[in-house]
Amino acid sequence: MSVAIENFVKAIYNNENQDITNTKPGNIASKLGISNAAATDMAKKLDAKGLLNYEKYKALRLTEDGEKMALNVIRKHRLWEAFLHKTFDMSLHEIHREAELLEHETSDFLAEKISEYLGNPKFDPHGDPIPNAKGEITTEDTSIPLSQAKENTEYVISRLMSTDKEFFEFCALNGIKYGNTLTVKKQFQSSKMTQIKIYTNTIVLNEDFTQIIYVNEIN
Amino acid sequence: MSVAIENFVKAIYNNENQDITNTKPGNIASKLGISNAAATDMAKKLDAKGLLNYEKYKALRLTEDGEKMALNVIRKHRLWEAFLHKTFDMSLHEIHREAELLEHETSDFLAEKISEYLGNPKFDPHGDPIPNAKGEITTEDTSIPLSQAKENTEYVISRLMSTDKEFFEFCALNGIKYGNTLTVKKQFQSSKMTQIKIYTNTIVLNEDFTQIIYVNEIN
DNA sequence: AAAAATATTTAAGTATACTTAAATTTTAAA
DNA sequence: TTTAAAATTTAAGTATACTTAAATATTTTT
Ligand SMILES: [Mn+2]
Ligand SMILES: [Mn+2]
Ligand SMILES: [Mn+2]
Ligand SMILES: [Mn+2]
C-alpha cells in the first residue's frame, strides 16, 4: 500500500480514538494538509479496497483490515522513535519527523529486529503505546493530565501528547521526560497553573502544558 | 526529489563507473525494471532539471548536480547497510534489500547520526566505499578479483560484488567476509577454478565467484 | 553497401494522488 | 422554520511515473 494510503488510515485511526463523530473527510484532510476533495476521493477508494466504510456525509469508520494496517504503521513509527531516541540520542521532535517517513519503508522483518534490539518496549519516548506484531495494544492507559493531579502527591510522567518542537525543547531542558518522577505542589484554581517540583527545580506550568503532560500516581 | 529520480541517477552513476558507452536509456531501463520508453521520458525530464545531459541516441551523462545527488543516495544506502549489519546482525542480502528503500527517506541529519555512531566508516559490509557528507569518495580501490590472484599468496577480502542471495549465503557459511584473510593455493588455468584456504577450510571456487570476490594482497 | 536485427524514440493511454471551482447537502443561526 | 453558513461531494483538470504499440534511428551481419 502507498504512503498516501498508510498516512490516511493512520490519521483516521488516531482521530477515531479521540472524536469518532468528527472523523469526516474534511477533518482528515486538514490533518494531512490535503484538500477536502482529495480526502473524499481517497475515502471512496479505500472503501472499495475494504479498508474503511464510506457513506456520503457520514463519519469514516475503519474496517478490521484498515485498523490492522493503521496499527502496523503506528508500530513502525513508534519503534523507530524509540530506537532513534535511544541509539542516536535524538530529541522528541527529531524522532517524530524522521519516523513519519521511515514508517512507510520498513518491512515487518526489520520492525521485528528493531523491537528485539530494544527489548520489545511497550511505550515510545512520548509515552505512546507500541502495538505488538499482531497489531494489539496490550497496555492500558490509566494516566491523567497534570492539570487534574492532586496537590502534594508524587507522579511519574507517562505521556507527552504533542508534536510541538518548542514544547519538547522546554521538556528536555527541565527534566520533563517519560518515566521521570515529579511532585505536584499546588494547583492554582483561578489561573489554572500547576506548580511542580522535579529534581531540585520548582516549575509553574500553565494549562497549555498541563493538559498535554500526562502522569500516573506513584502508589 | 522523488524515489524514481533518485533510483534513476543512482543507476546511471553505477553504470557510468563500469561501462560509460552503454549508459543509454534501454540499459538503465532494464536495471530498474521499467520500459525503455519510460527511461527515455525520465532522461528528458532530468535533462530539463539539470541532473544529466540527454542527446538523442547518445549515452546519458550525469551533470555535477546529478552525480552529487547519486552520491548522496549511495552514501545513505551504504550507511544503512553498515548499520543494519552491525547493529542487527542482518545478512549481506537483507541489508541491501532494506537499504534500497530506506535510502530515499533518510535526511542528511539522520545520515550524519548513523555515520558518527559507526565511527564514520569508509566502506560498507560489501566493501563498497561510502562517500562522505560532501559526496566525495576519498579511498582508492587497489583490489583485484580472486581470479587474478597469485598462487601461495595471502590476501584480505576487500569487496563482494554481488546482490545475489545464494552467493551471500555461501559466503556467510564459509567465512568469506569483508576484512577476512585467505590464502590462494592454486589457480587452475584450464577450468578457471581457484583453490583457497580460509581459516582451516579449503574451498575450490569457480569463475562465477572468483570474478566477484575482490581481494588485496597483504604486504 | 544493403539488409536484417536491435535499440531508441514518439505517440497515445493508464493509475495514483493531488488541485480548484461549482453544486449539493448538512448544520447552525436567526 | 426559514435562512445563512459551513462542510461535503462532484466535476474537471494537473503532474508524476509508468505502460504498450508504432515509428524511426542505429548497429550488426551478410
Ligand atoms: Mn508518515
Ligand atoms: Mn510517538
Ligand atoms: Mn532505492
Ligand atoms: Mn553495499
Side-chain angles (χ1 to χ4, degrees), chain A residues 187-215:
Chain A
Q187 295 282 13
F188 295 89
Q189 297 303 325
S190 59
S191 63
K192 297 193 169 168
M193 309 263 271
T194 304
Q195 183 182 330
I196 64 170
K197 188 160 193 186
I198 185 157
Y199 296 105
T200 57
N201 296 328
T202 293
I203 311 173
V204 180
L205 298 163
N206 78 356
E207 213 186 7
D208 286 347
F209 282 10
T210 59
Q211 285 183 341
I212 57 178
I213 298 171
Y214 280 69
V215 293

PDB file of all heavy atoms in Angstrom, chain A residues 187-215:
ATOM      1  N   GLN A 187      -2.077  23.392  42.873  1.00  0.00           N
ATOM      2  CA  GLN A 187      -2.935  23.683  41.720  1.00  0.00           C
ATOM      3  C   GLN A 187      -3.566  25.054  41.946  1.00  0.00           C
ATOM      4  O   GLN A 187      -4.357  25.223  42.878  1.00  0.00           O
ATOM      5  CB  GLN A 187      -4.045  22.613  41.601  1.00  0.00           C
ATOM      6  CG  GLN A 187      -3.583  21.200  41.285  1.00  0.00           C
ATOM      7  CD  GLN A 187      -3.219  20.995  39.807  1.00  0.00           C
ATOM      8  OE1 GLN A 187      -3.087  21.972  39.055  1.00  0.00           O
ATOM      9  NE2 GLN A 187      -3.045  19.746  39.409  1.00  0.00           N
ATOM     10  N   PHE A 188      -3.210  26.011  41.113  1.00  0.00           N
ATOM     11  CA  PHE A 188      -3.795  27.344  41.234  1.00  0.00           C
ATOM     12  C   PHE A 188      -5.130  27.338  40.493  1.00  0.00           C
ATOM     13  O   PHE A 188      -5.157  27.281  39.265  1.00  0.00           O
ATOM     14  CB  PHE A 188      -2.860  28.399  40.644  1.00  0.00           C
ATOM     15  CG  PHE A 188      -1.565  28.523  41.403  1.00  0.00           C
ATOM     16  CD1 PHE A 188      -0.464  27.746  41.067  1.00  0.00           C
ATOM     17  CD2 PHE A 188      -1.467  29.422  42.467  1.00  0.00           C
ATOM     18  CE1 PHE A 188       0.722  27.868  41.775  1.00  0.00           C
ATOM     19  CE2 PHE A 188      -0.268  29.538  43.166  1.00  0.00           C
ATOM     20  CZ  PHE A 188       0.833  28.749  42.832  1.00  0.00           C
ATOM     21  N   GLN A 189      -6.213  27.395  41.260  1.00  0.00           N
ATOM     22  CA  GLN A 189      -7.548  27.214  40.671  1.00  0.00           C
ATOM     23  C   GLN A 189      -7.899  28.295  39.657  1.00  0.00           C
ATOM     24  O   GLN A 189      -8.312  27.995  38.539  1.00  0.00           O
ATOM     25  CB  GLN A 189      -8.616  27.187  41.774  1.00  0.00           C
ATOM     26  CG  GLN A 189      -8.467  26.023  42.762  1.00  0.00           C
ATOM     27  CD  GLN A 189      -8.491  24.643  42.098  1.00  0.00           C
ATOM     28  OE1 GLN A 189      -9.195  24.444  41.120  1.00  0.00           O
ATOM     29  NE2 GLN A 189      -7.709  23.699  42.618  1.00  0.00           N
ATOM     30  N   SER A 190      -7.744  29.556  40.053  1.00  0.00           N
ATOM     31  CA  SER A 190      -8.232  30.632  39.176  1.00  0.00           C
ATOM     32  C   SER A 190      -7.370  30.793  37.923  1.00  0.00           C
ATOM     33  O   SER A 190      -7.884  30.921  36.820  1.00  0.00           O
ATOM     34  CB  SER A 190      -8.297  31.944  39.943  1.00  0.00           C
ATOM     35  OG  SER A 190      -7.009  32.264  40.430  1.00  0.00           O
ATOM     36  N   SER A 191      -6.060  30.727  38.095  1.00  0.00           N
ATOM     37  CA  SER A 191      -5.182  30.948  36.950  1.00  0.00           C
ATOM     38  C   SER A 191      -4.893  29.649  36.188  1.00  0.00           C
ATOM     39  O   SER A 191      -4.235  29.670  35.163  1.00  0.00           O
ATOM     40  CB  SER A 191      -3.875  31.568  37.417  1.00  0.00           C
ATOM     41  OG  SER A 191      -3.190  30.686  38.268  1.00  0.00           O
ATOM     42  N   LYS A 192      -5.390  28.523  36.721  1.00  0.00           N
ATOM     43  CA  LYS A 192      -5.195  27.221  36.072  1.00  0.00           C
ATOM     44  C   LYS A 192      -3.719  26.901  35.814  1.00  0.00           C
ATOM     45  O   LYS A 192      -3.364  26.358  34.765  1.00  0.00           O
ATOM     46  CB  LYS A 192      -6.006  27.141  34.783  1.00  0.00           C
ATOM     47  CG  LYS A 192      -7.504  27.246  35.075  1.00  0.00           C
ATOM     48  CD  LYS A 192      -8.351  26.875  33.903  1.00  0.00           C
ATOM     49  CE  LYS A 192      -9.806  26.729  34.310  1.00  0.00           C
ATOM     50  NZ  LYS A 192     -10.729  26.631  33.198  1.00  0.00           N
ATOM     51  N   MET A 193      -2.901  27.283  36.821  1.00  0.00           N
ATOM     52  CA  MET A 193      -1.496  26.941  36.744  1.00  0.00           C
ATOM     53  C   MET A 193      -1.221  25.796  37.710  1.00  0.00           C
ATOM     54  O   MET A 193      -1.967  25.579  38.673  1.00  0.00           O
ATOM     55  CB  MET A 193      -0.644  28.140  37.148  1.00  0.00           C
ATOM     56  CG  MET A 193      -1.012  29.416  36.405  1.00  0.00           C
ATOM     57  SD  MET A 193       0.044  29.710  35.008  1.00  0.00           S
ATOM     58  CE  MET A 193       1.332  30.637  35.824  1.00  0.00           C
ATOM     59  N   THR A 194      -0.140  25.070  37.436  1.00  0.00           N
ATOM     60  CA  THR A 194       0.238  23.953  38.293  1.00  0.00           C
ATOM     61  C   THR A 194       1.695  24.111  38.683  1.00  0.00           C
ATOM     62  O   THR A 194       2.550  24.301  37.814  1.00  0.00           O
ATOM     63  CB  THR A 194       0.048  22.608  37.574  1.00  0.00           C
ATOM     64  OG1 THR A 194      -1.313  22.500  37.127  1.00  0.00           O
ATOM     65  CG2 THR A 194       0.385  21.430  38.484  1.00  0.00           C
ATOM     66  N   GLN A 195       1.951  24.045  39.988  1.00  0.00           N
ATOM     67  CA  GLN A 195       3.326  24.141  40.459  1.00  0.00           C
ATOM     68  C   GLN A 195       3.859  22.748  40.751  1.00  0.00           C
ATOM     69  O   GLN A 195       3.248  21.984  41.489  1.00  0.00           O
ATOM     70  CB  GLN A 195       3.384  24.997  41.729  1.00  0.00           C
ATOM     71  CG  GLN A 195       4.807  25.197  42.238  1.00  0.00           C
ATOM     72  CD  GLN A 195       4.838  26.017  43.516  1.00  0.00           C
ATOM     73  OE1 GLN A 195       3.964  26.878  43.723  1.00  0.00           O
ATOM     74  NE2 GLN A 195       5.808  25.761  44.363  1.00  0.00           N
ATOM     75  N   ILE A 196       4.966  22.410  40.126  1.00  0.00           N
ATOM     76  CA  ILE A 196       5.555  21.080  40.343  1.00  0.00           C
ATOM     77  C   ILE A 196       6.988  21.214  40.825  1.00  0.00           C
ATOM     78  O   ILE A 196       7.634  22.257  40.662  1.00  0.00           O
ATOM     79  CB  ILE A 196       5.536  20.234  39.049  1.00  0.00           C
ATOM     80  CG1 ILE A 196       6.419  20.886  37.952  1.00  0.00           C
ATOM     81  CG2 ILE A 196       4.118  20.028  38.551  1.00  0.00           C
ATOM     82  CD1 ILE A 196       6.632  20.000  36.751  1.00  0.00           C
ATOM     83  N   LYS A 197       7.453  20.137  41.431  1.00  0.00           N
ATOM     84  CA  LYS A 197       8.872  20.055  41.770  1.00  0.00           C
ATOM     85  C   LYS A 197       9.433  18.835  41.058  1.00  0.00           C
ATOM     86  O   LYS A 197       8.874  17.736  41.142  1.00  0.00           O
ATOM     87  CB  LYS A 197       9.070  19.923  43.282  1.00  0.00           C
ATOM     88  CG  LYS A 197      10.531  20.040  43.688  1.00  0.00           C
ATOM     89  CD  LYS A 197      10.704  20.395  45.163  1.00  0.00           C
ATOM     90  CE  LYS A 197      12.141  20.804  45.449  1.00  0.00           C
ATOM     91  NZ  LYS A 197      12.375  21.011  46.904  1.00  0.00           N
ATOM     92  N   ILE A 198      10.489  19.042  40.300  1.00  0.00           N
ATOM     93  CA  ILE A 198      11.113  17.949  39.568  1.00  0.00           C
ATOM     94  C   ILE A 198      12.608  18.043  39.843  1.00  0.00           C
ATOM     95  O   ILE A 198      13.218  19.074  39.626  1.00  0.00           O
ATOM     96  CB  ILE A 198      10.740  18.010  38.067  1.00  0.00           C
ATOM     97  CG1 ILE A 198      11.283  16.799  37.336  1.00  0.00           C
ATOM     98  CG2 ILE A 198      11.147  19.311  37.403  1.00  0.00           C
ATOM     99  CD1 ILE A 198      10.522  16.488  36.056  1.00  0.00           C
ATOM    100  N   TYR A 199      13.194  16.964  40.377  1.00  0.00           N
ATOM    101  CA  TYR A 199      14.526  17.005  40.952  1.00  0.00           C
ATOM    102  C   TYR A 199      14.553  18.152  41.975  1.00  0.00           C
ATOM    103  O   TYR A 199      13.683  18.210  42.829  1.00  0.00           O
ATOM    104  CB  TYR A 199      15.618  17.157  39.891  1.00  0.00           C
ATOM    105  CG  TYR A 199      15.643  15.967  38.977  1.00  0.00           C
ATOM    106  CD1 TYR A 199      15.140  16.052  37.680  1.00  0.00           C
ATOM    107  CD2 TYR A 199      16.142  14.735  39.433  1.00  0.00           C
ATOM    108  CE1 TYR A 199      15.143  14.942  36.852  1.00  0.00           C
ATOM    109  CE2 TYR A 199      16.138  13.625  38.598  1.00  0.00           C
ATOM    110  CZ  TYR A 199      15.657  13.728  37.329  1.00  0.00           C
ATOM    111  OH  TYR A 199      15.647  12.643  36.522  1.00  0.00           O
ATOM    112  N   THR A 200      15.438  19.095  41.787  1.00  0.00           N
ATOM    113  CA  THR A 200      15.500  20.184  42.759  1.00  0.00           C
ATOM    114  C   THR A 200      14.800  21.437  42.256  1.00  0.00           C
ATOM    115  O   THR A 200      14.740  22.447  42.953  1.00  0.00           O
ATOM    116  CB  THR A 200      16.973  20.531  43.071  1.00  0.00           C
ATOM    117  OG1 THR A 200      17.618  20.854  41.839  1.00  0.00           O
ATOM    118  CG2 THR A 200      17.682  19.364  43.724  1.00  0.00           C
ATOM    119  N   ASN A 201      14.252  21.355  41.043  1.00  0.00           N
ATOM    120  CA  ASN A 201      13.673  22.552  40.435  1.00  0.00           C
ATOM    121  C   ASN A 201      12.171  22.685  40.690  1.00  0.00           C
ATOM    122  O   ASN A 201      11.444  21.701  40.650  1.00  0.00           O
ATOM    123  CB  ASN A 201      13.897  22.549  38.930  1.00  0.00           C
ATOM    124  CG  ASN A 201      15.369  22.625  38.592  1.00  0.00           C
ATOM    125  OD1 ASN A 201      16.150  23.239  39.325  1.00  0.00           O
ATOM    126  ND2 ASN A 201      15.759  21.985  37.509  1.00  0.00           N
ATOM    127  N   THR A 202      11.754  23.905  40.914  1.00  0.00           N
ATOM    128  CA  THR A 202      10.333  24.214  41.009  1.00  0.00           C
ATOM    129  C   THR A 202       9.908  24.910  39.726  1.00  0.00           C
ATOM    130  O   THR A 202      10.571  25.844  39.267  1.00  0.00           O
ATOM    131  CB  THR A 202      10.076  25.140  42.206  1.00  0.00           C
ATOM    132  OG1 THR A 202      10.361  24.410  43.405  1.00  0.00           O
ATOM    133  CG2 THR A 202       8.624  25.614  42.225  1.00  0.00           C
ATOM    134  N   ILE A 203       8.833  24.408  39.132  1.00  0.00           N
ATOM    135  CA  ILE A 203       8.357  24.981  37.875  1.00  0.00           C
ATOM    136  C   ILE A 203       6.860  25.232  37.978  1.00  0.00           C
ATOM    137  O   ILE A 203       6.127  24.413  38.533  1.00  0.00           O
ATOM    138  CB  ILE A 203       8.622  24.030  36.681  1.00  0.00           C
ATOM    139  CG1 ILE A 203      10.067  23.537  36.700  1.00  0.00           C
ATOM    140  CG2 ILE A 203       8.289  24.711  35.360  1.00  0.00           C
ATOM    141  CD1 ILE A 203      10.357  22.478  35.665  1.00  0.00           C
ATOM    142  N   VAL A 204       6.417  26.346  37.449  1.00  0.00           N
ATOM    143  CA  VAL A 204       4.981  26.618  37.364  1.00  0.00           C
ATOM    144  C   VAL A 204       4.585  26.544  35.893  1.00  0.00           C
ATOM    145  O   VAL A 204       5.136  27.255  35.052  1.00  0.00           O
ATOM    146  CB  VAL A 204       4.630  27.996  37.948  1.00  0.00           C
ATOM    147  CG1 VAL A 204       3.125  28.238  37.845  1.00  0.00           C
ATOM    148  CG2 VAL A 204       5.078  28.084  39.400  1.00  0.00           C
ATOM    149  N   LEU A 205       3.632  25.639  35.640  1.00  0.00           N
ATOM    150  CA  LEU A 205       3.217  25.397  34.257  1.00  0.00           C
ATOM    151  C   LEU A 205       1.815  25.931  34.032  1.00  0.00           C
ATOM    152  O   LEU A 205       0.953  25.798  34.890  1.00  0.00           O
ATOM    153  CB  LEU A 205       3.212  23.889  33.986  1.00  0.00           C
ATOM    154  CG  LEU A 205       4.552  23.169  34.124  1.00  0.00           C
ATOM    155  CD1 LEU A 205       4.323  21.665  34.241  1.00  0.00           C
ATOM    156  CD2 LEU A 205       5.450  23.469  32.941  1.00  0.00           C
ATOM    157  N   ASN A 206       1.560  26.495  32.852  1.00  0.00           N
ATOM    158  CA  ASN A 206       0.191  26.925  32.571  1.00  0.00           C
ATOM    159  C   ASN A 206      -0.590  25.787  31.906  1.00  0.00           C
ATOM    160  O   ASN A 206      -0.036  24.723  31.592  1.00  0.00           O
ATOM    161  CB  ASN A 206       0.157  28.223  31.772  1.00  0.00           C
ATOM    162  CG  ASN A 206       0.441  27.992  30.306  1.00  0.00           C
ATOM    163  OD1 ASN A 206       0.727  26.889  29.888  1.00  0.00           O
ATOM    164  ND2 ASN A 206       0.371  29.058  29.536  1.00  0.00           N
ATOM    165  N   GLU A 207      -1.863  26.036  31.695  1.00  0.00           N
ATOM    166  CA  GLU A 207      -2.775  24.991  31.225  1.00  0.00           C
ATOM    167  C   GLU A 207      -2.365  24.374  29.887  1.00  0.00           C
ATOM    168  O   GLU A 207      -2.595  23.192  29.654  1.00  0.00           O
ATOM    169  CB  GLU A 207      -4.192  25.591  31.124  1.00  0.00           C
ATOM    170  CG  GLU A 207      -5.277  24.583  31.440  1.00  0.00           C
ATOM    171  CD  GLU A 207      -6.663  25.188  31.171  1.00  0.00           C
ATOM    172  OE1 GLU A 207      -6.750  26.308  30.638  1.00  0.00           O
ATOM    173  OE2 GLU A 207      -7.643  24.508  31.497  1.00  0.00           O
ATOM    174  N   ASP A 208      -1.790  25.198  29.002  1.00  0.00           N
ATOM    175  CA  ASP A 208      -1.347  24.671  27.709  1.00  0.00           C
ATOM    176  C   ASP A 208      -0.468  23.438  27.885  1.00  0.00           C
ATOM    177  O   ASP A 208      -0.569  22.474  27.123  1.00  0.00           O
ATOM    178  CB  ASP A 208      -0.522  25.736  26.952  1.00  0.00           C
ATOM    179  CG  ASP A 208      -1.401  26.837  26.396  1.00  0.00           C
ATOM    180  OD1 ASP A 208      -2.630  26.653  26.372  1.00  0.00           O
ATOM    181  OD2 ASP A 208      -0.851  27.883  26.002  1.00  0.00           O
ATOM    182  N   PHE A 209       0.377  23.504  28.910  1.00  0.00           N
ATOM    183  CA  PHE A 209       1.308  22.403  29.135  1.00  0.00           C
ATOM    184  C   PHE A 209       0.723  21.303  30.024  1.00  0.00           C
ATOM    185  O   PHE A 209       0.954  20.124  29.798  1.00  0.00           O
ATOM    186  CB  PHE A 209       2.608  22.935  29.762  1.00  0.00           C
ATOM    187  CG  PHE A 209       3.524  23.608  28.770  1.00  0.00           C
ATOM    188  CD1 PHE A 209       3.095  23.894  27.468  1.00  0.00           C
ATOM    189  CD2 PHE A 209       4.832  23.958  29.126  1.00  0.00           C
ATOM    190  CE1 PHE A 209       3.930  24.513  26.552  1.00  0.00           C
ATOM    191  CE2 PHE A 209       5.680  24.573  28.204  1.00  0.00           C
ATOM    192  CZ  PHE A 209       5.228  24.861  26.930  1.00  0.00           C
ATOM    193  N   THR A 210      -0.044  21.703  31.052  1.00  0.00           N
ATOM    194  CA  THR A 210      -0.542  20.678  31.984  1.00  0.00           C
ATOM    195  C   THR A 210      -1.626  19.800  31.374  1.00  0.00           C
ATOM    196  O   THR A 210      -1.981  18.771  31.926  1.00  0.00           O
ATOM    197  CB  THR A 210      -1.088  21.321  33.276  1.00  0.00           C
ATOM    198  OG1 THR A 210      -2.144  22.224  32.940  1.00  0.00           O
ATOM    199  CG2 THR A 210       0.011  22.050  34.029  1.00  0.00           C
ATOM    200  N   GLN A 211      -2.134  20.218  30.217  1.00  0.00           N
ATOM    201  CA  GLN A 211      -3.138  19.375  29.546  1.00  0.00           C
ATOM    202  C   GLN A 211      -2.511  18.373  28.579  1.00  0.00           C
ATOM    203  O   GLN A 211      -3.189  17.454  28.108  1.00  0.00           O
ATOM    204  CB  GLN A 211      -4.152  20.251  28.806  1.00  0.00           C
ATOM    205  CG  GLN A 211      -5.132  20.910  29.760  1.00  0.00           C
ATOM    206  CD  GLN A 211      -6.182  21.727  29.039  1.00  0.00           C
ATOM    207  OE1 GLN A 211      -5.995  22.099  27.885  1.00  0.00           O
ATOM    208  NE2 GLN A 211      -7.275  22.006  29.728  1.00  0.00           N
ATOM    209  N   ILE A 212      -1.223  18.548  28.291  1.00  0.00           N
ATOM    210  CA  ILE A 212      -0.576  17.592  27.377  1.00  0.00           C
ATOM    211  C   ILE A 212       0.506  16.764  28.064  1.00  0.00           C
ATOM    212  O   ILE A 212       1.050  15.842  27.476  1.00  0.00           O
ATOM    213  CB  ILE A 212      -0.006  18.303  26.121  1.00  0.00           C
ATOM    214  CG1 ILE A 212       0.986  19.409  26.501  1.00  0.00           C
ATOM    215  CG2 ILE A 212      -1.141  18.876  25.271  1.00  0.00           C
ATOM    216  CD1 ILE A 212       1.605  20.107  25.303  1.00  0.00           C
ATOM    217  N   ILE A 213       0.786  17.106  29.339  1.00  0.00           N
ATOM    218  CA  ILE A 213       1.694  16.273  30.134  1.00  0.00           C
ATOM    219  C   ILE A 213       0.837  15.322  30.963  1.00  0.00           C
ATOM    220  O   ILE A 213       0.066  15.764  31.805  1.00  0.00           O
ATOM    221  CB  ILE A 213       2.586  17.120  31.050  1.00  0.00           C
ATOM    222  CG1 ILE A 213       3.471  18.057  30.216  1.00  0.00           C
ATOM    223  CG2 ILE A 213       3.441  16.220  31.952  1.00  0.00           C
ATOM    224  CD1 ILE A 213       4.238  19.087  31.062  1.00  0.00           C
ATOM    225  N   TYR A 214       0.949  14.036  30.709  1.00  0.00           N
ATOM    226  CA  TYR A 214       0.153  13.039  31.432  1.00  0.00           C
ATOM    227  C   TYR A 214       1.022  12.336  32.471  1.00  0.00           C
ATOM    228  O   TYR A 214       2.233  12.145  32.276  1.00  0.00           O
ATOM    229  CB  TYR A 214      -0.444  12.017  30.469  1.00  0.00           C
ATOM    230  CG  TYR A 214      -1.680  12.536  29.770  1.00  0.00           C
ATOM    231  CD1 TYR A 214      -1.577  13.556  28.822  1.00  0.00           C
ATOM    232  CD2 TYR A 214      -2.941  12.025  30.056  1.00  0.00           C
ATOM    233  CE1 TYR A 214      -2.706  14.052  28.186  1.00  0.00           C
ATOM    234  CE2 TYR A 214      -4.080  12.510  29.420  1.00  0.00           C
ATOM    235  CZ  TYR A 214      -3.954  13.524  28.485  1.00  0.00           C
ATOM    236  OH  TYR A 214      -5.070  14.020  27.855  1.00  0.00           O
ATOM    237  N   VAL A 215       0.393  11.947  33.572  1.00  0.00           N
ATOM    238  CA  VAL A 215       1.139  11.343  34.686  1.00  0.00           C
ATOM    239  C   VAL A 215       0.355  10.189  35.324  1.00  0.00           C
ATOM    240  O   VAL A 215      -0.863  10.098  35.165  1.00  0.00           O
ATOM    241  CB  VAL A 215       1.439  12.395  35.782  1.00  0.00           C
ATOM    242  CG1 VAL A 215       2.415  13.444  35.274  1.00  0.00           C
ATOM    243  CG2 VAL A 215       0.159  13.057  36.274  1.00  0.00           C
TER     244      VAL A 215
END
